[in-house]
Amino acid sequence: MYQMTEDKALEVLCLGFGRTGTASLRDSLNILGLPCHHMKRAIVDKSGRVFLDARNTGKADWDTIYKRYKAVSDWPSVYFWKELVEHYPDAKVILSVRDPERWYKSMSDTIIKLHALYKRFPVNFLVNSYLYRFMFGEHAKMAYTLVDEDTFHDRLDNKEYSIQVFKDHYAEVKRVIPADKLLIFEAKDGWKPLCDFLGKPIPSIPYPNTNDTSEFQRLISFTQTISWAYV
């Protein structure tokens, strides 16, 4: 566990797409004393509407949204990466990378499967229900809108197209962020480059290896089961 903070200012922006080791990066930053926002926190915080409003209006109070955090990783934050870079100009940027083919395979086994359910009965009925909104806010709508519709233009099932979007994002981040503020990082690199970049001592425990594919698959199964039970 980690201690959240009420102090202003994100110090670290992790701008790699989901399924590039963002969960392990989140856990590592938490260990280093940098509470990290992640898609899972958006679920817990029921903040789907907040991010949808930021998307729909082009305005957001980032300091309030992230007041308990010092770092961000994964969607929905990556969707707003240009806004966050502008708002937090002193933040260091970590770009988690992965082979595009392996990235798409991981997406296919997790996010693509889950989000496909959002469009089909009975899951589409559940996620639009009062019960779902009471439990999770507008998380499903937020995740689908920001990732599937806006980032991949409803073509996540097109491997070639999705990989090109992936590559274009990484090229743009590298173009925009000055080299002295950017760390290109793979989970296999471990603690040293990460800690050197952030000016943190290397922890005595192994670098986190957070593979949440099985958790995603359990979530898919649970979502299908509870949807049929609900209807």
Side-chain angles (χ1 to χ4, degrees), residues 121-134:
F121 183 84
V123 176
N124 61 346
F125 185 79
L126 174 67
V127 299
N128 288 299
S129 69
Y130 174 80
L131 173 64
Y132 184 93
R133 291 196 299 272
F134 175 77

Side-chain angles (χ1 to χ4, degrees), residues 174-190:
K174 292 175 182 177
R175 184 188 70 81
V176 170
I177 306 300
D180 63 336
K181 286 188 176 181
L182 178 64
L183 173 67
I184 309 297
F185 184 76
E186 289 188 66
K188 67 181 182 180
D189 296 336

Side-chain angles (χ1 to χ4, degrees), residues 29-49:
L29 292 169
N30 290 338
I31 291 169
L32 294 174
L34 296 166
C36 185
H37 188 276
H38 183 271
M39 184 66 89
K40 283 188 177 179
R41 293 305 313 179
I43 298 174
V44 173
D45 296 342
K46 298 183 183 180
S47 56
R49 171 45 55 187

Side-chain angles (χ1 to χ4, degrees), residues 7-162:
D7 296 335
K8 177 187 173 181
L10 292 176
E11 297 178 12
V12 182
L13 307 176
C14 302
L15 303 184
F17 276 180
R19 313 311 302 170
T20 61
T22 55
S24 295
L25 195 49
R26 170 203 65 204
D27 292 346
S28 70
L29 292 169
N30 290 338
I31 291 169
L32 294 174
L34 296 166
C36 185
H37 188 276
H38 183 271
M39 184 66 89
K40 283 188 177 179
R41 293 305 313 179
I43 298 174
V44 173
D45 296 342
K46 298 183 183 180
S47 56
R49 171 45 55 187
V50 171
F51 289 103
L52 280 172
D53 286 345
R55 175 257 193 190
N56 293 337
T57 66
K59 301 176 182 178
D61 184 351
W62 299 118
D63 295 332
T64 297
I65 292 172
Y66 295 116
K67 67 181 179 179
R68 295 184 296 164
Y69 302 95
K70 286 294 185 183
V72 297
S73 177
D74 195 25
W75 290 297
S77 301
V78 173
Y79 177 86
F80 300 99
W81 75 271
K82 289 184 178 179
E83 292 89 335
L84 294 178
V85 166
E86 180 178 357
H87 191 73
Y88 299 105
D90 296 327
K92 293 186 176 182
V93 174
I94 300 171
L95 192 60
S96 52
V97 297
R98 190 174 190 180
D99 172 76
E101 293 283 340
R102 294 180 62 192
W103 166 79
Y104 189 78
K105 173 63 167 60
S106 181
M107 287 285 290
S108 298
D109 291 341
T110 55
I111 293 173
I112 293 176
K113 281 186 177 179
L114 178 62
H115 288 194
L117 293 179
Y118 294 159
K119 298 186 289 185
R120 299 201 300 262
F121 183 84
V123 176
N124 61 346
F125 185 79
L126 174 67
V127 299
N128 288 299
S129 69
Y130 174 80
L131 173 64
Y132 184 93
R133 291 196 299 272
F134 175 77
M135 294 176 63
F136 305 110
E138 296 192 52
H139 176 77
K141 183 177 181 180
M142 178 273 289
Y144 187 87
T145 300
L146 269 56
V147 179
D148 294 60
E149 291 185 354
D150 289 358
T151 302
F152 295 97
H153 312 111
D154 264 333
R155 296 175 67 181
L156 254 179
D157 58 346
N158 184 319
K159 177 181 176 180
E160 182 178 356
Y161 183 81
S162 297

Side-chain angles (χ1 to χ4, degrees), residues 157-222:
D157 58 346
N158 184 319
K159 177 181 176 180
E160 182 178 356
Y161 183 81
S162 297
I163 287 179
Q164 189 58 55
V165 170
F166 176 89
K167 290 179 177 179
D168 290 346
H169 170 77
Y170 279 76
E172 182 67 0
V173 172
K174 292 175 182 177
R175 184 188 70 81
V176 170
I177 306 300
D180 63 336
K181 286 188 176 181
L182 178 64
L183 173 67
I184 309 297
F185 184 76
E186 289 188 66
K188 67 181 182 180
D189 296 336
W191 284 119
K192 190 176 189 318
L194 181 63
C195 292
D196 286 351
F197 181 66
L198 297 177
K200 298 285 187 180
I202 296 176
S204 59
I205 59 176
Y207 183 84
N209 180 20
T210 312
N211 187 340
D212 57 1
T213 298
S214 59
E215 184 177 337
F216 253 102
Q217 292 168 346
R218 288 193 298 271
L219 176 60
I220 290 168
S221 178
F222 173 77

